[in-house]
Amino acid sequence: SAVSSVAIQLRDVFANVLKIAASDIVDGTSPQDVATWDSLATVVLIGEIETHFSIQFDFDEMLEFENFGSIANLVEKKFVAA
């Protein structure tokens, strides 16, 4: 998939919150793969993403947070529409 500026910025947000290298984050990266990605980290990630991109997720959207790729797609859609 083409790497957009949104995905690049999002990767940095993930790397900072999860304390992992941005280069280790791929579309399939999920809580199952990352020891630091627990439920608290998900809450922090949501807050950081919303702040960074000036967007707001609703509850249904948060349920779609399966992996980096699914979150990136959601952010792309909301960010472009914002």
Side-chain angles (χ1 to χ4, degrees):
S1 63
V3 180
S4 67
S5 65
V6 167
I8 292 167
Q9 292 175 55
L10 188 62
R11 200 167 269 125
D12 286 339
V13 171
F14 269 70
N16 289 333
V17 172
L18 301 176
K19 312 271 190 284
I20 57 176
S23 56
D24 288 343
I25 301 168
V26 296
D27 282 355
T29 300
S30 73
Q32 283 73 40
D33 309 315
V34 183
T36 51
W37 190 348
D38 55 15
S39 53
L40 178 61
T42 299
V43 173
V44 175
L45 274 172
I46 290 168
E48 292 287 326
I49 294 166
E50 289 181 334
T51 301
H52 184 92
F53 293 99
S54 302
I55 56 178
Q56 209 82 56
F57 295 114
D58 62 37
F59 187 71
D60 288 342
E61 288 169 334
M62 291 178 200
L63 296 178
E64 292 175 40
F65 279 25
E66 285 167 35
N67 54 35
F68 179 80
S70 66
I71 297 169
N73 286 338
L74 197 55
V75 173
E76 291 269 358
K77 276 190 285 208
K78 294 185 80 71
F79 188 60
V80 169

